[in-house]
Amino acid sequence: MTVFENLAAVRSTLPWGVQLVAVSKTYPAEAVRQAYDAGQRAFGENRPQELAAKAAALPADIRWHQIGHLQTNKVRLIMPYVARIESLDSARLAEALEKEASKADRQVEVLFEIQVAFESEKTGWPWEELRAWIEAGQWRDFTHLIYKGVMGIATHTDDKAQVVADFDTLRRYFEELQPLFGSGFDTLSMGMSGDYELAVAHGATSVRVGSAIFGAREYKL
Ligand SMILES: *Cc1c(COP(=O)(O)O)cnc(C)c1O
């Protein structure tokens, strides 16, 4: 199967209105180009150096999403290119993003990555900490950040009930925050190649799909 065919197959399973972010981490720029030629415009990367290198080499109308944990000292590297940070997971990162976006005189979209998978990969902002940060209210002064929604990674397990529970938890968090941030806060990013259809059934409005489009990765990050 080619990238073109895989992309068409994935798209055909997504209901209207659900965004597809093609996760191109580890795949060459040439693979991104094939998806681009098939009309795909949103791509996800988790390493800042790789995002910057691909962005510099590929068409400017691509919307690059940073989907992996972002260190504050790497923010500057991707600021010229990144459309959306899906992995806003700390107050420090929010401050760094605001500072660099302000310097670059631009706005950047952000999703709160919220922790749900407690046994395995503990990525994301712990919910209670995020709530406290939001209540403190400083986010209102961060005028270079556009708060777009919530992202999460379900527990890595074959136990479907656990994955569903994680998706439902993320949806509850999203629904609780939505009224605070207003109508532009419309994105619930959850689901990857193995579980994106389940994620959509549980409310995802954006899915992050890599290997189902580009083939098995040669190395795991
Ligand atoms: C790699 C990655 C994906 C895509 O994973 P696939 O299984 O290749 O679809 C989605 N989200 C995040 C945060 C990732 O790091």
Side-chain angles (χ1 to χ4, degrees), residues 21 23 25 27 45-46 67-69 86 113 123 151-153 189 191-194 196 207-213 215 217 220-221:
V21 177
V23 176
K25 68 184 187 200
Y27 303 103
E45 290 284 338
N46 67 349
I67 61 168
H69 175 68
E86 296 212 10
E113 181 185 350
T123 70
M151 185 271 244
I153 304 172
S189 170
M192 324 204 292
S193 290
Y196 71 89
V207 295
R208 308 177 306 271
V209 179
S211 48
I213 296 171
R217 253 176 231 105
K220 191 151 165 59
L221 289 177

Side-chain angles (χ1 to χ4, degrees), residues 75-135:
V75 169
R76 191 173 307 176
L77 178 63
I78 62 171
M79 191 49 73
Y81 308 109
V82 75
R84 180 175 292 184
I85 310 284
E86 296 212 10
S87 48
L88 174 52
D89 59 3
S90 71
R92 263 189 80 217
L93 181 57
E95 285 155 22
L97 286 169
E98 170 62 20
K99 187 169 150 213
E100 291 300 328
S102 167
K103 273 197 213 159
D105 194 24
R106 59 160 303 197
Q107 289 188 301
V108 64
E109 296 173 358
V110 295
L111 303 182
F112 296 118
E113 181 185 350
I114 307 178
Q115 186 179 306
V116 282
F118 291 96
E119 302 90 8
S120 47
E121 299 103 290
K122 283 191 188 171
T123 70
W125 206 327
W127 172 241
E128 294 305 328
E129 275 179 35
L130 171 60
R131 282 300 326 221
W133 182 77
I134 290 169
E135 269 157 39

Side-chain angles (χ1 to χ4, degrees), residues 171-218:
R171 196 183 62 226
R172 277 201 310 279
Y173 292 159
F174 170 67
E175 286 168 354
E176 188 169 331
L177 296 181
Q178 206 281 327
L180 287 170
F181 290 92
S183 61
F185 195 88
D186 58 7
T187 302
L188 178 54
S189 170
M190 55 187 196
M192 324 204 292
S193 290
D195 57 16
Y196 71 89
E197 287 172 277
L198 195 57
V200 169
H202 288 265
T205 68
S206 185
V207 295
R208 308 177 306 271
V209 179
S211 48
I213 296 171
F214 297 110
R217 253 176 231 105
E218 285 183 13

Side-chain angles (χ1 to χ4, degrees), residues 121-180:
E121 299 103 290
K122 283 191 188 171
T123 70
W125 206 327
W127 172 241
E128 294 305 328
E129 275 179 35
L130 171 60
R131 282 300 326 221
W133 182 77
I134 290 169
E135 269 157 39
Q138 198 193 2
W139 61 272
R140 294 178 193 276
D141 302 330
F142 291 175
T143 55
H144 298 83
L145 304 189
I146 303 171
Y147 300 94
K148 288 296 292 177
V150 165
M151 185 271 244
I153 304 172
T155 306
H156 188 71
T157 173
D158 292 333
D159 177 3
K160 193 173 152 183
Q162 179 63 52
V163 174
V164 164
D166 289 347
F167 289 154
D168 287 341
T169 300
L170 286 165
R171 196 183 62 226
R172 277 201 310 279
Y173 292 159
F174 170 67
E175 286 168 354
E176 188 169 331
L177 296 181
Q178 206 281 327
L180 287 170

